């Protein structure tokens, strides 16, 4: 089957070389091939297209490739990951993050093709459709239903058996559950509490403050577009820090 592949590397020449190697690989292995210079851009692309395989560098500015790979366990469906890096010392961490393979630069064509065959054996079946991620939520505003662009939503909160979608211009009610939205929009939301999802694109920083509440970690997320800070549950703090790659302030 032809796989949709995303090359994630901060080195433009490395991305170009990898694309050329993919074009020379056996027919039927490569479908759409796109590129990202960092993990933030990669995450944005993955929200709009289903990729079967990530060819992922390790060391990049901001969140590194290992952190991105670890965060993919929350995605459904989860793309396969093959690390392509000049650093051999990260192999153990890579396989702990469920990597399919680990290639060191310079990559030999036959070694790349072997990794592609490994990834293809784990990917979706050929008849599984590629679906676009929903770009809006159906909300109620002053008694009337309307579509709210997903890009405007800063966070969602479960409230009185319904959901509250908070934006910089106000709040809107909608039906559904947080779990359902996590599945419908994989990678878009970050679970910070049992009743709260933060939009990843809105996250600005992670802060600590004193607390005596055993369920609350004492950490809060600051979001762009709102003065409200979101409490991070103690049991979710590790996942939040891992997924965002943020250094706490």
């Amino acid at each position: 089957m032809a796989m949709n592949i995303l090359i994630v590397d901060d080195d433009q020449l490395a991305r170009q070389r990898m694309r050329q190697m993919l074009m020379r690989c056996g027919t039927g292995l490569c479908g759409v091939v796109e590129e990202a210079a960092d993990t933030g851009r990669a995450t944005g692309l993955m929200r709009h297209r289903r990729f079967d395989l990530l060819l992922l560098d390790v060391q990049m500015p901001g969140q590194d490739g290992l952190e991105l790979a670890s965060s993919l366990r929350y995605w459904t469906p989860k793309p396969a990951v093959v690390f392509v890096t000049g650093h051999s010392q990260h192999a153990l961490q890579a396989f702990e993050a469920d990597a399919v393979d680990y290639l060191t630069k310079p990559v030999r064509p036959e070694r790349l093709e072997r990794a592609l065959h490994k990834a293809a054996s784990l990917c979706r079946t050929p008849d599984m459709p590629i679906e676009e991620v929903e770009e809006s939520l159906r909300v109620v505003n002053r008694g009337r239903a309307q579509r709210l662009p997903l890009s405007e939503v800063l966070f969602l909160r479960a409230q009185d058996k319904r959901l509250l979608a908070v934006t910089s211009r106000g709040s809107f009610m909608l039906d559904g559950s947080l779990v359902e939205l996590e599945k419908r929009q994989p990678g878009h939301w970050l679970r910070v509490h049992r009743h709260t999802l933060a939009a990843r694109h809105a996250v600005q920083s992670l802060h600590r403050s004193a607390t005596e509440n055993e369920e609350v970690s004492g950490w809060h997320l600051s979001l762009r577009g709102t003065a409200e800070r979101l409490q991070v549950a103690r049991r979710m703090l590790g996942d939040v820090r891992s997924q965002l790659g943020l250094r706490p302030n």
Side-chain angles (χ1 to χ4, degrees):
M1 59 162 288
M3 296 181 291
N4 293 333
I5 300 174
L6 179 58
I7 305 167
V8 188
D9 196 314
D10 60 325
D11 186 332
Q12 183 179 2
L13 289 177
R15 297 198 305 272
Q16 291 175 350
R17 285 193 293 268
M18 179 56 66
R19 180 182 283 273
Q20 291 168 358
M21 291 179 67
L22 289 172
M23 293 175 63
R24 293 194 293 267
C25 282
T27 58
L29 281 175
C30 303
V32 173
V33 177
E34 295 201 32
E35 302 176 18
D38 55 58
T39 58
R41 172 63 176 160
T43 301
L45 289 172
M46 287 190 289
R47 290 183 187 137
H48 298 284
R49 181 185 293 277
R50 180 178 295 171
F51 288 96
D52 303 297
L53 172 63
L54 269 60
L55 296 175
L56 188 57
D57 191 14
V58 173
Q59 295 185 347
M60 290 178 284
Q63 184 188 46
D64 65 31
L66 290 167
E67 291 169 325
L68 175 60
S70 295
S71 73
L72 293 177
R73 65 181 181 271
Y74 299 97
W75 289 65
T76 304
K78 175 184 173 182
V81 173
V82 170
F83 281 96
V84 184
T85 177
H87 306 278
S88 60
Q89 68 268 28
H90 301 295
L92 178 59
Q93 291 172 277
F95 288 114
E96 287 177 346
D98 294 330
V100 173
D101 211 335
Y102 190 94
L103 310 181
T104 53
K105 300 173 183 177
V107 178
R108 302 191 312 275
E110 63 273 15
R111 185 69 182 85
L112 173 62
E113 190 161 349
R114 196 157 70 242
L116 293 177
H117 280 290
K118 279 187 186 179
S121 68
L122 300 174
C123 288
R124 56 182 168 81
T125 56
D127 59 348
M128 184 181 294
I130 296 175
E131 301 173 353
E132 295 295 321
V133 176
E134 290 184 70
E135 289 299 310
S136 62
L137 298 175
R138 187 176 184 276
V139 300
V140 177
N141 182 25
R142 297 179 181 177
R144 300 183 62 181
Q146 67 178 59
R147 304 300 299 191
L148 178 66
L150 204 58
S151 59
E152 292 188 22
V153 181
L154 305 177
F155 66 92
L156 295 171
R157 177 171 288 150
Q159 181 174 300
D160 298 328
K161 298 183 180 180
R162 300 189 75 187
L163 299 180
L164 184 70
V166 178
T167 74
S168 59
R169 59 186 177 91
S171 302
F172 305 85
M173 299 301 298
L174 67 151
D175 294 319
S177 70
L178 297 180
V179 172
E180 178 188 354
L181 288 175
E182 282 181 298
K183 292 179 179 178
R184 281 165 45 190
Q185 290 133 3
H188 184 84
W189 304 108
L190 177 66
R191 173 78 70 162
V192 298
H193 200 281
R194 65 179 181 274
H195 56 59
T196 310
L197 296 178
R200 289 172 183 263
H201 67 82
V203 174
Q204 189 169 31
S205 58
L206 184 63
H207 300 272
R208 189 174 192 177
S209 56
T211 180
E212 296 181 359
N213 189 331
E214 292 184 357
E215 292 188 4
V216 178
S217 63
W219 293 91
H220 295 79
L221 281 183
S222 292
L223 306 179
R224 300 178 184 88
T226 178
E228 183 170 353
R229 297 192 303 168
L230 303 184
Q231 289 185 341
V232 179
R234 188 180 302 277
R235 65 187 181 88
M236 295 175 183
L237 177 61
D239 284 341
V240 169
R241 294 174 68 174
S242 173
Q243 290 187 64
L244 292 176
L246 287 176
R247 292 184 177 181
N249 295 325

